Each structure stands twice: as structure tokens, then as C-alpha cells.
Amino acid sequence: AQSVTQPDIHITVSEGASLELRCNYSYGATPYLFWYVQSPGQGLQLLLKYFSGDTLVQGIKGFEAEFKRSQSSFNLRKPSVHWSDAAEYFCAVGAGANNLFFGTGTRLTVIP
Amino acid sequence: GAGVSQSPSNKVTEKGKDVELRCDPISGHTALYWYRQSLGQGLEFLIYFQGNSAPDKSGLPSDRFSAERTGGSVSTLTIQRTQQEDSAVYLCASSLYGATNEKLFFGSGTQLSVL
């Protein structure tokens, strides 16, 4: 069965520091992988997605993620965090027809 | 409209009452999804509509939950005889074709509180 694990419930980083949010998935075939961000009072917004090809994908707002098949991971990274990046981040795997399975989310706090 | 619109944004109801949540997807999007987001939980898939096809109801947690999509556009999620465990944020999303690799456009959600 498909599943997504985000092991970090809450992460706090200083503004300007680098960021890595972890995501591990379980799926029998090559998955479609996504990162969505949910800012306070707003709907979820797609940051980036991976389908095939280059395992390092670039997204909006300076985010990137790397698909590592051997580790079943799709970690999200940003070299320098901005205060406006404070939000909830969800990793998701597209599996089968018509469905995305989401992780439980990681809440990011950015301190000055 | 420009984005996915959900109403109401907040709903407080008493246990045992029925509630209806509305979703207005992006014009032209053929696929519509309902998800539930509970505190400390991920997004839980509820139901999926694609064009005129029969909806995928596999995520509905009980027969108290139902949804319809009229005219291939607006959708209503109905929860009958609400229970306190139904308290959550209900999110609607739409996409152009409903393919698994497509970007979903989400509404801001309806926060449901069952007292």
C-alpha cells in the first residue's frame, strides 16, 4: 500500500539558515512525488513535483527536492530560509488512478 | 472564478445536525477532490469526481458522508448526524484532467467544528 512519512512534525530554523524537510514514501512502482505548502489562512500550493528524468527538481520560491530511489526519499531543501517560508509543508505521492496520498505535514517556524 | 472557492469558511454545528459544505472549482476543471485535514493528521482523501464518470467514494469514512457534483461544476459535501470526530478542515481541490501527475488547485477550506 502507498504511504508517505514525514518524520519531523515541527522544525525551527533561523532566517538565512538552510533547510531540509524529510519525506519517505512507500510505493511499488516509480511514484509521482509532490511537495505542497500551506501558508496560514491559505490553500495548499504546489511547490514542485517529480515524475521522471532528472532526480533534482526545482520549484517555486527557491525550493528544490531530490528523488533518491535507493532511499525512497524525496527531501525538500532550501539554501536560505526567509521569514515568509513559515508554513506547513506536505509531501505527497501520486499512486494509481486519481489519488494523492499525503504525509502528516511538517510545520516550519522561522526565527529572526 | 480565479481559484477554488469554498463556503462557508467556518461552520460551527451541534452534534447530530446535518451540514453542507460547498466547493466551486476552477472553471473548466473536470476533476474535483474532497480531502479532510484533522489536527495532527495528513490530508485524508474523501471523494473524487471526474467529468461524468461515477465518483470514487472509496475515502468516505461512513455512510453519513455523501457528496454530489451538479452539472460538472459545483460540489456539495454533506455530513449527516455530525459527530465530534467530524471536526476538521475540509479541503476541496480541482485539476484540469484529473491525472495522477497533475497539479491540484486547493481552496482555503471549511473549518468544521462539531460541539
Side-chain angles (χ1 to χ4, degrees):
Chain A
Q2 307 89 344
S3 68
V4 178
T5 302
Q6 293 182 248
D8 303 307
I9 297 172
H10 186 199
I11 284 183
T12 299
V13 299
S14 298
E15 191 168 16
S18 63
L19 171 70
E20 182 169 27
L21 302 183
R22 295 184 290 167
C23 172
N24 293 95
Y25 68 90
S26 173
Y27 184 56
T30 300
Y32 300 130
L33 295 163
F34 305 80
W35 275 98
Y36 281 83
V37 60
Q38 185 178 36
S39 299
Q42 298 187 23
L44 279 82
Q45 180 183 19
L46 180 68
L47 281 176
L48 47 79
K49 57 186 179 181
Y50 169 79
F51 299 152
S52 63
D54 193 348
T55 57
L56 183 64
V57 294
Q58 303 296 321
I60 62 172
K61 304 183 179 184
F63 285 91
E64 67 178 27
E66 186 172 11
F67 170 57
K68 293 185 177 180
R69 183 187 302 275
S70 61
Q71 300 177 17
S72 297
S73 69
F74 188 57
N75 294 349
L76 182 71
R77 301 194 295 251
K78 187 170 184 177
S80 178
V81 170
H82 187 263
W83 64 266
S84 61
D85 294 326
E88 186 107 23
Y89 291 80
F90 291 91
C91 181
V93 57
N98 318 323
N99 203 354
L100 281 184
F101 290 88
F102 285 84
T104 51
T106 297
R107 178 165 297 279
L108 174 65
T109 297
V110 181
I111 56 177
Chain B
V4 178
S5 177
Q6 291 188 246
S7 62
S9 55
N10 281 282
K11 177 70 177 178
V12 180
T13 190
E14 294 178 350
K15 178 182 173 181
K17 300 282 190 182
D18 298 351
V19 295
E20 286 189 350
L21 312 180
R22 176 188 168 104
C23 173
D24 199 344
I26 292 174
S27 178
H29 279 195
T30 63
L32 186 148
Y33 305 74
W34 282 99
Y35 285 86
R36 179 168 69 175
Q37 184 179 16
S38 304
L39 194 62
Q41 306 286 324
L43 274 70
E44 176 189 6
F45 167 75
L46 296 177
I47 188 169
Y48 163 81
F49 295 90
Q50 169 58 51
N52 295 322
S53 302
D56 176 357
K57 304 179 181 180
S58 60
L60 294 179
S62 77
D63 59 8
R64 296 186 296 105
F65 288 72
S66 63
E68 62 178 21
R69 188 180 184 191
T70 55
S73 181
V74 172
S75 177
T76 302
L77 177 68
T78 301
I79 309 173
Q80 296 178 310
R81 305 180 302 282
T82 53
Q83 303 295 313
Q84 289 183 332
E85 61 263 28
D86 299 334
S87 296
V89 176
Y90 289 83
L91 295 170
C92 176
S94 69
S95 67
L96 189 57
Y97 302 115
T100 308
N101 59 2
E102 265 193 305
K103 172 183 178 179
L104 296 187
F105 293 82
F106 283 84
S108 298
T110 294
Q111 172 75 61
L112 175 65
S113 300
V114 182
L115 304 179

Coordinates of all heavy atoms in Angstrom, one line a residue, chain B residues 40-88:
Chain B
G40 N -3.1 17.3 13.4 CA -2.0 16.3 13.6 C -2.1 15.2 12.5 O -1.3 14.2 12.6
Q41 N -3.0 15.2 11.6 CA -3.1 14.2 10.6 C -2.8 14.8 9.2 O -2.8 16.0 9.0 CB -4.6 13.7 10.5 CG -5.1 13.2 11.8 CD -4.5 11.8 12.2 OE1 -4.3 11.0 11.3 NE2 -4.2 11.7 13.5
G42 N -2.5 14.0 8.3 CA -2.3 14.4 6.9 C -3.6 14.7 6.3 O -4.7 14.7 6.9
L43 N -3.6 14.9 5.0 CA -4.8 15.1 4.3 C -5.4 13.7 3.9 O -4.7 12.9 3.3 CB -4.5 15.9 3.0 CG -4.6 17.4 3.1 CD1 -3.4 17.9 3.9 CD2 -4.6 18.1 1.7
E44 N -6.6 13.5 4.3 CA -7.3 12.3 4.1 C -8.2 12.4 2.9 O -9.1 13.2 2.9 CB -8.1 11.9 5.4 CG -8.9 10.7 5.3 CD -9.8 10.5 6.5 OE1 -9.9 11.4 7.3 OE2 -10.5 9.4 6.6
F45 N -8.0 11.6 1.9 CA -8.8 11.6 0.7 C -10.2 11.1 1.1 O -10.4 10.2 1.8 CB -8.2 10.7 -0.3 CG -9.1 10.4 -1.5 CD1 -9.4 11.3 -2.5 CD2 -9.7 9.1 -1.6 CE1 -10.2 11.0 -3.5 CE2 -10.6 8.8 -2.6 CZ -10.8 9.8 -3.6
L46 N -11.2 11.9 0.5 CA -12.6 11.5 0.8 C -13.3 11.0 -0.5 O -13.8 9.9 -0.5 CB -13.4 12.7 1.3 CG -12.9 13.2 2.7 CD1 -13.7 14.5 3.1 CD2 -13.0 12.2 3.8
I47 N -13.3 11.9 -1.5 CA -14.0 11.5 -2.7 C -13.5 12.3 -3.9 O -12.9 13.3 -3.8 CB -15.6 11.8 -2.5 CG1 -16.4 11.3 -3.7 CG2 -15.8 13.3 -2.4 CD1 -17.9 11.3 -3.4
Y48 N -13.7 11.7 -5.1 CA -13.1 12.2 -6.3 C -14.2 12.2 -7.4 O -14.8 11.1 -7.6 CB -11.9 11.4 -6.7 CG -11.4 11.6 -8.1 CD1 -10.7 12.7 -8.5 CD2 -11.7 10.6 -9.1 CE1 -10.2 12.8 -9.8 CE2 -11.3 10.7 -10.4 CZ -10.5 11.8 -10.8 OH -10.1 12.0 -12.1
F49 N -14.3 13.3 -8.1 CA -15.2 13.4 -9.3 C -14.4 13.7 -10.5 O -13.5 14.5 -10.5 CB -16.2 14.5 -9.1 CG -17.2 14.4 -8.0 CD1 -16.9 14.8 -6.7 CD2 -18.4 13.7 -8.2 CE1 -17.8 14.7 -5.7 CE2 -19.3 13.6 -7.1 CZ -19.0 14.1 -5.9
Q50 N -14.7 13.0 -11.6 CA -14.1 13.2 -12.9 C -15.1 13.2 -14.0 O -15.7 12.2 -14.3 CB -13.0 12.1 -13.2 CG -12.5 12.1 -14.6 CD -11.8 13.4 -14.9 OE1 -11.0 13.9 -14.2 NE2 -12.2 14.0 -16.1
G51 N -15.3 14.4 -14.5 CA -16.3 14.5 -15.6 C -17.6 13.9 -15.3 O -18.2 14.1 -14.2
N52 N -18.1 13.1 -16.2 CA -19.4 12.4 -16.0 C -19.3 11.0 -15.4 O -20.3 10.3 -15.3 CB -20.2 12.3 -17.3 CG -20.5 13.7 -17.8 OD1 -20.9 14.6 -17.1 ND2 -20.4 13.9 -19.1
S53 N -18.1 10.6 -15.1 CA -17.8 9.3 -14.5 C -18.4 9.1 -13.1 O -18.6 10.1 -12.4 CB -16.3 8.9 -14.5 OG -15.8 9.0 -15.8
A54 N -18.7 7.9 -12.7 CA -19.1 7.6 -11.4 C -18.0 8.1 -10.4 O -16.8 7.8 -10.7 CB -19.4 6.2 -11.2
P55 N -18.3 8.8 -9.3 CA -17.3 9.2 -8.4 C -16.6 8.1 -7.7 O -17.2 7.1 -7.4 CB -18.1 10.1 -7.4 CG -19.5 9.7 -7.5 CD -19.7 9.2 -8.9
D56 N -15.4 8.4 -7.3 CA -14.6 7.4 -6.5 C -14.9 7.8 -5.0 O -14.4 8.8 -4.5 CB -13.1 7.5 -6.8 CG -12.2 6.7 -5.9 OD1 -12.8 6.0 -5.0 OD2 -11.0 6.7 -6.1
K57 N -15.7 7.0 -4.4 CA -16.1 7.3 -3.0 C -15.3 6.5 -2.0 O -15.8 6.5 -0.8 CB -17.6 7.0 -2.8 CG -18.5 7.6 -3.8 CD -20.0 7.2 -3.6 CE -20.9 7.8 -4.5 NZ -22.3 7.4 -4.3
S58 N -14.2 5.9 -2.4 CA -13.6 5.0 -1.5 C -13.0 5.6 -0.2 O -12.7 4.8 0.7 CB -12.4 4.3 -2.3 OG -11.5 5.3 -2.7
G59 N -12.9 6.9 -0.2 CA -12.3 7.5 1.0 C -13.4 8.0 2.0 O -13.0 8.4 3.1
L60 N -14.6 7.9 1.7 CA -15.7 8.4 2.6 C -15.7 7.5 3.9 O -15.8 6.3 3.8 CB -17.0 8.4 2.0 CG -17.2 9.3 0.8 CD1 -18.6 9.2 0.2 CD2 -17.0 10.8 1.2
P61 N -15.5 8.1 5.1 CA -15.4 7.3 6.3 C -16.6 6.6 6.8 O -16.5 5.6 7.5 CB -14.9 8.4 7.3 CG -15.4 9.7 6.8 CD -15.5 9.6 5.3
S62 N -17.8 7.1 6.4 CA -19.0 6.4 6.8 C -20.1 6.8 5.9 O -20.0 7.7 5.1 CB -19.4 6.7 8.3 OG -19.9 8.0 8.3
D63 N -21.3 6.1 6.1 CA -22.4 6.4 5.2 C -23.1 7.7 5.6 O -24.1 8.2 5.0 CB -23.4 5.3 5.2 CG -23.9 4.9 6.5 OD1 -23.7 5.7 7.5 OD2 -24.6 3.9 6.6
R64 N -22.6 8.4 6.6 CA -23.1 9.7 7.0 C -22.5 10.8 6.0 O -23.1 11.9 6.0 CB -22.7 10.1 8.4 CG -23.3 9.2 9.5 CD -23.0 9.7 10.9 NE -21.6 9.7 11.2 CZ -20.8 10.8 11.2 NH1 -21.3 12.0 11.0 NH2 -19.5 10.7 11.6
F65 N -21.5 10.4 5.3 CA -20.9 11.3 4.4 C -21.3 11.0 3.0 O -21.4 9.9 2.5 CB -19.3 11.2 4.4 CG -18.7 11.7 5.7 CD1 -18.8 11.0 6.9 CD2 -17.9 12.9 5.6 CE1 -18.2 11.5 8.0 CE2 -17.3 13.4 6.8 CZ -17.5 12.7 8.0
S66 N -21.7 12.1 2.2 CA -22.0 12.0 0.8 C -21.6 13.2 0.1 O -21.4 14.3 0.7 CB -23.5 11.7 0.7 OG -24.3 12.8 1.1
A67 N -21.5 13.1 -1.2 CA -21.2 14.3 -2.0 C -21.8 14.2 -3.3 O -22.0 13.1 -3.8 CB -19.6 14.5 -2.1
E68 N -22.1 15.3 -3.9 CA -22.6 15.3 -5.3 C -21.9 16.5 -6.0 O -21.4 17.5 -5.4 CB -24.1 15.5 -5.3 CG -24.6 16.7 -4.7 CD -26.2 16.8 -4.8 OE1 -26.8 15.7 -5.0 OE2 -26.7 17.9 -4.8
R69 N -21.9 16.4 -7.3 CA -21.4 17.4 -8.2 C -22.4 17.7 -9.3 O -22.6 16.8 -10.1 CB -20.0 17.0 -8.7 CG -19.3 18.2 -9.5 CD -18.0 17.8 -10.0 NE -17.3 18.9 -10.6 CZ -16.2 18.9 -11.3 NH1 -15.7 17.7 -11.6 NH2 -15.7 20.0 -11.8
T70 N -23.0 18.8 -9.2 CA -24.0 19.1 -10.2 C -23.5 19.8 -11.4 O -22.7 20.8 -11.3 CB -25.1 20.0 -9.5 OG1 -24.4 21.2 -9.0 CG2 -25.8 19.3 -8.4
G71 N -23.9 19.4 -12.6 CA -23.5 20.0 -13.8 C -22.0 20.0 -14.1 O -21.5 20.8 -14.9
G72 N -21.3 19.1 -13.4 CA -19.9 19.0 -13.6 C -19.1 20.2 -13.1 O -18.0 20.4 -13.4
S73 N -19.8 20.9 -12.2 CA -19.1 22.1 -11.6 C -19.1 22.1 -10.1 O -18.3 21.4 -9.5 CB -19.7 23.4 -12.2 OG -19.0 24.5 -11.7
V74 N -20.1 22.8 -9.5 CA -20.1 23.0 -8.1 C -20.3 21.6 -7.4 O -21.1 20.8 -7.9 CB -21.2 23.9 -7.7 CG1 -21.4 24.0 -6.2 CG2 -20.9 25.3 -8.2
S75 N -19.7 21.4 -6.3 CA -19.9 20.2 -5.5 C -20.3 20.5 -4.1 O -19.9 21.6 -3.5 CB -18.6 19.4 -5.4 OG -18.7 18.3 -4.6
T76 N -21.1 19.7 -3.5 CA -21.6 19.8 -2.1 C -21.2 18.5 -1.4 O -21.5 17.4 -1.8 CB -23.1 20.0 -2.1 OG1 -23.4 21.2 -2.8 CG2 -23.5 20.2 -0.6
L77 N -20.5 18.7 -0.3 CA -20.2 17.6 0.7 C -21.2 17.7 1.8 O -21.3 18.7 2.5 CB -18.8 17.7 1.2 CG -18.4 16.6 2.2 CD1 -18.3 15.2 1.5 CD2 -17.0 17.0 2.8
T78 N -21.9 16.6 2.0 CA -22.9 16.6 3.1 C -22.5 15.6 4.2 O -22.2 14.5 3.9 CB -24.3 16.2 2.6 OG1 -24.7 17.2 1.5 CG2 -25.4 16.2 3.7
I79 N -22.6 16.1 5.4 CA -22.3 15.2 6.6 C -23.6 15.2 7.4 O -24.1 16.2 7.9 CB -21.2 15.7 7.4 CG1 -19.9 16.0 6.6 CG2 -20.9 14.7 8.5 CD1 -18.8 16.6 7.3
Q80 N -24.2 14.0 7.5 CA -25.4 13.9 8.3 C -25.1 13.4 9.7 O -24.1 12.8 10.0 CB -26.3 12.8 7.6 CG -26.8 13.2 6.2 CD -27.6 12.0 5.6 OE1 -27.2 10.9 5.6 NE2 -28.8 12.4 5.1
R81 N -26.0 13.9 10.6 CA -25.8 13.5 12.0 C -24.4 13.7 12.5 O -23.8 12.7 12.9 CB -26.3 12.1 12.2 CG -27.7 11.8 11.7 CD -28.2 10.4 11.9 NE -27.3 9.4 11.3 CZ -27.3 9.1 10.0 NH1 -28.1 9.7 9.2 NH2 -26.5 8.2 9.5
T82 N -23.9 14.9 12.4 CA -22.5 15.1 12.7 C -22.1 14.6 14.1 O -22.9 14.7 15.0 CB -22.2 16.6 12.6 OG1 -23.1 17.4 13.4 CG2 -22.2 17.1 11.1
Q83 N -20.8 14.2 14.1 CA -20.2 13.7 15.4 C -19.0 14.6 15.7 O -18.5 15.2 14.8 CB -19.8 12.3 15.2 CG -20.9 11.3 14.9 CD -21.9 11.2 16.0 OE1 -21.6 11.1 17.1 NE2 -23.2 11.3 15.6
Q84 N -18.6 14.6 16.9 CA -17.4 15.5 17.3 C -16.2 15.1 16.5 O -15.4 15.9 16.2 CB -17.2 15.4 18.8 CG -18.3 16.1 19.6 CD -18.0 16.1 21.1 OE1 -17.4 15.2 21.6 NE2 -18.5 17.1 21.8
E85 N -16.0 13.8 16.2 CA -14.9 13.4 15.4 C -14.9 13.9 14.0 O -13.9 13.7 13.3 CB -14.7 11.9 15.4 CG -15.8 11.1 14.8 CD -16.8 10.6 15.9 OE1 -16.9 11.2 16.9 OE2 -17.5 9.6 15.6
D86 N -16.0 14.5 13.5 CA -16.0 15.0 12.2 C -15.4 16.4 12.2 O -15.2 17.0 11.1 CB -17.5 15.2 11.7 CG -18.2 13.9 11.6 OD1 -17.5 12.8 11.5 OD2 -19.5 13.9 11.8
S87 N -15.1 17.0 13.3 CA -14.4 18.3 13.4 C -13.1 18.2 12.6 O -12.2 17.4 13.0 CB -14.2 18.7 14.8 OG -15.5 18.9 15.5
A88 N -12.9 19.1 11.7 CA -11.7 19.1 10.8 C -11.8 20.2 9.8 O -12.8 20.9 9.8 CB -11.6 17.7 10.1

